[in-house]
Amino acid sequence: MVPREQYEKVSGMNSFSKSMITVATPTLAAFASSFFGLAGVLAFDLLTFFFAFSVLLFRIRIPEHRAHREQTERRHLLTDCREGFRFLVSRRGLLSLIFSMAVMNFFSNITYENILPAMILSRSGQNEMTLGVVSGLIGFGGVLGGLIVSFVKLPENKIRLIYFSAAFSFLFGDVLMGLGRTVPVWIVAALAASVPIPFVAAGQNVILYHTVPEEIQGRVFAVRNAVQFGTIPLGTLLGGALADYGFEPFLKSRAPLATALQRLVGSGGGSGMAVMFLCTGVLGFLLSVCWYRNRNLRSLREK
């Protein structure tokens, strides 16, 4: 549906729309709740669902070549999955790219998508306003990054774009979020973490759409989604367990390493979760640099 030269802009607008939801939804929900209560919020949710469903059903037409349709009708789900998997396995660069994205998603869901609210509340004296500001700016950073991707021409070297953006996000987002103890530092960390994400997504999408033949993109992207996003629930489950049973109790101990880490992140509630941000930040940064230098990944070029 999208011309090849517009892949970057469409990816940027996609990131923009997702981040705008993060920013706008809590505000609209609070507004609706104050006037109509929870029942009104649920009713509005159902109405918007039916509106979106109707638009997709009656207004959106996806062009499909007859040959592709006839070929699809003769296929089976497992056959399609096997073909998509074989395509990725035969192209080690693409497989490495998807695996690296899966690891990034894993790290993100250990910290930012998981323990961030608990850490901010613990380290700010249960200040919900502080949490709202930090969370809102994470969404705003995604909106800003999406707009930049949509309207600015990106570098030709998409591998450099992906992993330099990821390295910046981990180093100045995760690490700074863990080291920070005040709202201004957390604000800078929130923007540093979120603005580069649309650049990562745009770089990956451009490479995939240019590399994977159009007639098998559905099969390949289905396998990509299973691998790349399959680590999200793992990170979510592991992050909470590590915080409650690992890092938080350890930072409250008198172990020499715990004492040394307290000099960096402070003591008290949330300090263990702050160390988790340091770990994901340092590991994510180092892995991003290693991935950029990976021979298979650096061989990927737009076709």
Side-chain angles (χ1 to χ4, degrees):
M1 295 178 67
V2 178
R4 293 170 67 90
E5 63 273 12
Q6 299 295 326
Y7 287 161
E8 296 176 5
K9 292 184 177 180
V10 171
S11 180
M13 293 305 297
N14 187 38
S15 298
F16 167 80
S17 64
K18 291 180 179 179
S19 300
M20 181 59 73
I21 292 172
T22 303
V23 175
T25 300
T27 303
L28 293 175
F31 175 81
S33 178
S34 63
F35 282 93
F36 308 109
L38 181 59
V41 173
L42 294 176
F44 184 76
D45 190 25
L46 287 174
L47 287 174
T48 54
F49 164 76
F50 284 117
F51 173 77
F53 180 81
S54 300
V55 171
L56 291 172
L57 183 63
F58 298 112
R59 299 292 300 174
I60 303 299
R61 295 289 181 267
I62 300 177
E64 184 177 19
H65 297 294
R66 180 177 179 182
H68 292 171
R69 183 171 64 251
E70 293 175 350
Q71 186 182 40
T72 302
E73 291 173 351
R74 298 192 298 266
R75 310 190 69 86
H76 298 285
L77 177 62
L78 292 179
T79 302
D80 290 344
C81 292
R82 282 196 297 268
E83 289 193 9
F85 184 74
R86 281 199 297 265
F87 180 88
L88 290 175
V89 170
S90 65
R91 289 156 178 82
R92 298 180 64 181
L94 286 180
L95 191 62
S96 298
L97 175 64
I98 293 170
F99 176 75
S100 68
M101 295 296 109
V103 175
M104 291 183 194
N105 284 334
F106 178 72
F107 284 160
S108 176
N109 279 270
I110 284 180
T111 51
Y112 267 98
E113 305 295 336
N114 193 352
I115 63 171
L116 177 65
M119 187 194 77
I120 295 296
L121 289 174
S122 296
R123 292 167 72 82
S124 64
Q126 303 300 315
N127 191 322
E128 295 181 0
M129 180 68 72
T130 297
L131 176 61
V133 169
V134 175
S135 300
L137 282 170
I138 291 175
F140 174 76
V143 170
L144 180 60
L147 288 174
I148 296 173
V149 171
S150 300
F151 295 105
V152 175
K153 183 175 176 56
L154 299 180
E156 293 296 327
N157 190 335
K158 297 301 185 292
I159 293 299
R160 179 182 298 170
L161 175 69
I162 291 171
Y163 294 106
F164 277 25
S165 299
F168 183 92
S169 178
F170 280 118
L171 184 62
F172 295 100
D174 290 53
V175 172
L176 199 58
M177 187 66 73
L179 293 175
R181 306 182 203 179
T182 61
V183 176
V185 177
W186 288 330
I187 287 175
V188 173
L191 292 174
S194 57
V195 171
I197 300 304
F199 292 86
V200 175
Q204 185 198 23
N205 288 338
V206 170
I207 289 175
L208 288 172
Y209 280 114
H210 278 285
T211 306
V212 181
E214 180 182 341
E215 61 272 13
I216 63 170
Q217 284 182 357
R219 281 160 270 172
V220 174
F221 291 173
V223 176
R224 184 279 299 262
N225 290 342
V227 175
Q228 183 169 322
F229 302 120
T231 57
I232 289 177
L234 296 177
T236 302
L237 291 171
L238 184 61
L242 286 175
D244 289 341
Y245 303 108
F247 284 85
E248 284 292 311
F250 178 72
L251 262 290
K252 294 177 182 177
S253 69
R254 296 182 179 180
L257 180 58
T259 302
L261 290 172
Q262 286 173 2
R263 296 192 183 99
L264 290 175
V265 301
S267 58
S271 57
M273 290 179 277
V275 173
M276 290 175 63
F277 272 90
L278 295 185
C279 292
T280 57
V282 172
L283 288 174
F285 172 78
L286 293 175
L287 286 174
S288 297
V289 173
C290 292
W291 283 323
Y292 173 69
R293 297 177 62 85
N294 181 278
R295 184 185 309 171
N296 295 325
L297 285 167
R298 297 192 70 178
S299 68
L300 286 175
R301 293 292 183 268
E302 295 180 18
K303 304 299 181 183

